[in-house]
């Protein structure tokens, strides 16, 4: 019987058994909550797991049932607090409004300077609130630490800079309280504020939902607010929590994968008289773990693609939805997509891909550079630097659609170094709408610039096809930046006191650091490609993990906080230890139920993307389980025995004919030098007429200078061909020399800046 599709809130199900964590949760829902599923709410660590839990339910039940409500922990906390979450950039704008309102005008900083320290301070506010610490105590503590550091400085020796620095620490409690009150009045907030307000509202929430039952599933690390909320609901007999922890990690007091769950098991009152659910024994089961080292990141992408291809070829019925590629480094996504075999079919990419490497973002960055440089010129005219113009015109999102190849040729041939806006429009006789959007003047304020960029991105998006897979991915990149630009338009319309283009670019760069590209896909179908955090709660049969190097997996230690390490330890805030433990849990959870595992790492110890082998690999080898089969291989690129075959050009009739033509005119010294140094170059340049690409010369090139000298001497000496040259003739040539050199410069160096050529 064919299974009907989901309609409304109803499902049709057929029976199937499996042992994944979500299958077990589905079984609990069916067995213990079947009569009250409509009043049951399942809370998961992330939104993505909801689709997989619904699929597990579908496979275990026959007939029609109501689905329980399934939400993420963050959405659940927002429901309790009744406060809307704001993104990081909106929060930064709101904080700046608060900062301006409570700071003397003489001491107010520009938005660029403010943002540099405000982002870090907001992260600290967030941590203080999530862990329910007394903010005034913590922030006053920080001020006292700074006072102690400068205890011995005499009053007369305190500089204005030092006074401002100490004042900053004194103002932290005021910044916190003013921002908190401001956001609360608007019923919006950052995560920590929402968590603190949820705890305040917990008793009211608990009494208002007496009929509801909550199931918390698949959690590991909890902050103090989450702990308090969950324990309260459990104590009120309104909730149950199901952990997913393996006894191998839980019973080892030193294993970080069980660090948090061990703490909860020992400290929660509930477990003094109730069983702990669930402790499993999956990690010690039979597993084939293949550790593969290869130079550089691209090698890892190619190996991951080969593993998938071999898996499909050896077993065409391989269920690719049970295969996960987990990228320890998000920049590997695009190389991986190119490395995958064509017969993969469906893909499900569920990871945040940074907007930094987004081709649309790179184009916007080039536009900002071009226009800000044009605006900053000392003269009043809007003048572009040729490199900025060519960078934009040759960008892959512009070049195929703007019809500017002729313009690029003109700029190179005529040696334009600086081009006025008027001249640029004059050179491009029939400008396309895309070209006009690219070079529209940015002199009407930030909103106009953002609206122009929005129109530009929409125009580029419309040029891309939905039929081509590569263009579909590019369209996702363009649309992500389009949404960011439109967000900025919304923010700027509400905060019009920030209206400088330089400030706009600084804000844009900070937005891009936080922005991610979302891909659309069918979650339950095809090969699963994801980041580390997206793998939470999910189980796969085959797992391929890339970038297993220190600093990548686990991530390196970063101290992006004003709160010192020892203060964090004392106050119970998370430190490097806890952050590493979170990564450890995610890694071992990936391996927990998998049977075939590939761990890929970069063997290079030096370079930008290098680092030593991850401690997780060493830990697997040192603490090897009896049923684990671990192999270690190093893959290197295949180097041919012979680098290349010598190139031989037969002297055909056409070649000999061309050589005779050159001989009749005479072989120049440079041609003979080229033949002696590299005969192939001579063949390409003189026989086939293949010339180097013409480029703009900012500083005159030696060959151009040689041509100018050669042509000047030719013009001066031509009148004396076949005649006797006297001393007076030479003197007359000297009189004509400067004018002729300048004339030849204009002919050969063309529109180049002669004064900047490095000669005059």
């Amino acid at each position: 019987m064919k299974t009907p599709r989901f309609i409304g809130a109803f499902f049709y199900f057929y029976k199937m058994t499996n042992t994944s964590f979500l299958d077990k949760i589905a079984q609990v829902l069916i067995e213990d909550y079947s009569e009250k599923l409509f009043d049951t709410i399942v809370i998961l660590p992330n939104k993505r797991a909801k689709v997989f839990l619904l699929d597990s339910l579908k496979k275990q039940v026959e007939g029609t049932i109501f689905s329980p409500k399934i939400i993420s922990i963050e959405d659940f906390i927002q429901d309790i607090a009744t406060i809307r979450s704001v993104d990081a950039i909106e929060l930064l704008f709101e904080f700046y409004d608060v900062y301006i309102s409570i700071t003397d005008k003489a001491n107010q900083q520009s938005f660029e300077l403010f943002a540099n320290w405000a982002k870090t301070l907001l992260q600290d506010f967030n941590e203080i609130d999530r862990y329910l610490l007394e903010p005034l105590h913590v922030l006053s503590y920080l001020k006292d630490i700074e006072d102690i550091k400068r205890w011995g400085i005499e009053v007369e020796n305190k500089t204005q800079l030092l006074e401002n620095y100490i004042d900053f620490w004194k103002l932290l409690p005021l910044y916190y309280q003013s921002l908190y009150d401001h956001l609360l009045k608007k019923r919006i907030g950052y995560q920590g504020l929402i968590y603190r307000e949820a705890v305040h509202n917990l008793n009211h929430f608990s009494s208002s939902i007496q009929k509801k039952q909550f199931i918390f599933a698949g959690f590991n690390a909890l902050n103090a607010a989450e702990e308090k909320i969950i324990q309260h609901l459990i104590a009120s007999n309104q909730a149950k929590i199901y952990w997913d922890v393996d006894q191998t990690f839980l019973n080892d007091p030193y294993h970080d994968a069980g660090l948090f769950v061990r703490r909860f098991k020992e400290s929660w009152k509930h477990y003094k008289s109730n069983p702990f659910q669930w402790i499993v024994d999956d990690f010690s089961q039979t597993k084939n773990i293949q550790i593969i080292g290869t130079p550089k990141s691209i090698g890892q992408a190619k190996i991951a693609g080969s593993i998938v291809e071999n898996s499909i070829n050896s077993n065409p019925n391989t269920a690719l939805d049970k295969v996960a590629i987990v990228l320890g480094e998000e920049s590997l996504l695009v190389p991986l997509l190119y490395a995958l075999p064509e017969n993969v079919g469906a893909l499900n990419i569920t990871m945040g891909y940074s907007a930094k490497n987004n081709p649309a973002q790179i184009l916007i960055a080039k536009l900002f550079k071009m226009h800000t440089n044009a605006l900053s010129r000392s003269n009043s005219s809007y003048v572009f630097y040729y490199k900025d113009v060519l960078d934009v015109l040759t960008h892959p999102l512009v070049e195929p659609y703007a019809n500017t190849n002729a313009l690029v040729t003109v700029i190179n041939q005529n040696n334009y170094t600086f081009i006025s806006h008027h001249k640029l429009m004059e050179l491009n006789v029939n400008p396309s709408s895309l070209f006009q959007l690219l070079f529209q003047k940015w002199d009407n304020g930030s909103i106009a610039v953002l609206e122009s960029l929005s129109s530009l991105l929409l125009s580029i998006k419309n040029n891309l096809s939905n039929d081509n897979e590569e263009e579909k991915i590019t369209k996702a990149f363009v649309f992500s930046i389009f949404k960011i630009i439109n967000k900025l338009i919304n923010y700027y319309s509400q905060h019009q006191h920030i209206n400088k283009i330089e400030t706009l670019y600084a804000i844009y760069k900070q937005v891009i650091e936080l922005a991610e590209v979302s891909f659309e896909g069918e979650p339950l179908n095809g090969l699963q490609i994801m980041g580390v955090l997206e793998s939470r709660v999910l189980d796969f049969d085959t797992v391929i993990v890339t970038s297993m190097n220190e600093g990548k997996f686990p991530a390196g230690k970063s101290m992006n906080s004003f709160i010192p390490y020892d203060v964090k330890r004392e106050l119970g805030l998370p430190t490097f230890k806890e952050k590493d433990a979170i990564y450890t849990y995610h890694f071992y959870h990936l391996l927990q139920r998998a049977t075939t595992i590939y761990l890929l790492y970069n063997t290079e110890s030096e370079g930008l993307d290098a680092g030593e082998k991850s401690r997780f690999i060493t830990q697997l080898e040192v603490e090897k389980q009896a049923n684990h089969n671990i192999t270690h291989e190093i893959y290197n690129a295949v180097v041919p025995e012979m680098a290349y075959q010598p190139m031989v050009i037969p002297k055909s009739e056409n070649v000999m004919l061309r050589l005779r033509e050159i001989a009749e005119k005479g072989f120049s010294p440079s041609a003979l030098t080229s033949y002696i140094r590299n005969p192939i170059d001579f063949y390409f340049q003189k026989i086939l007429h293949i010339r180097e690409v013409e480029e703009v010369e900012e500083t005159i090139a030696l060959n151009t200078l040689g041509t100018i000298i050669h042509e000047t001497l030719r013009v001066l000496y031509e009148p004396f061909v076949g005649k006797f040259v006297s001393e007076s003739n030479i003197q007359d040539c000297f009189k004509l020399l400067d004018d002729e050199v300048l004339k030849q410069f204009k002919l050969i160096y063309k529109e180049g800046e002669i004064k900047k050529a490095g000669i005059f």
Side-chain angles (χ1 to χ4, degrees), residues 30 45 70 110 115 174 190 245 256 286 315 333 341 439 450 463 484 543 569 621 642 658 751-752:
I30 294 161
I70 304 171
S110 65
L174 178 61
Y190 52 89
V245 62
D256 278 352
T286 303
N315 183 9
L333 176 61
F439 295 96
L450 290 169
N463 287 329
I484 290 165
V543 174
R569 283 289 303 272
E621 293 172 329
M642 186 178 291
R658 175 64 186 143
E751 298 290 334

Side-chain angles (χ1 to χ4, degrees), residues 232-250:
H232 174 89
L233 292 173
I234 290 174
S236 305
N237 204 28
Q238 292 175 292
K240 286 187 177 181
I241 185 164
Y242 296 92
W243 309 92
D244 186 15
V245 62
D246 197 281
Q247 65 178 21
T248 306
F249 318 133
L250 191 66

Side-chain angles (χ1 to χ4, degrees), residues 393-405 434 463 471:
L393 293 180
T394 56
H395 189 279
L397 291 178
V398 172
E399 191 173 22
Y401 313 107
N403 303 320
T404 55
N405 291 337
L434 181 60
N463 287 329
E471 289 197 4

Side-chain angles (χ1 to χ4, degrees), residues 360-370 505 508:
Q361 191 287 118
I362 293 168
L363 174 61
I364 299 299
K366 288 180 185 296
L367 280 170
F368 267 110
K369 183 184 176 186
M370 181 179 75
Y505 188 36
Y508 171 77

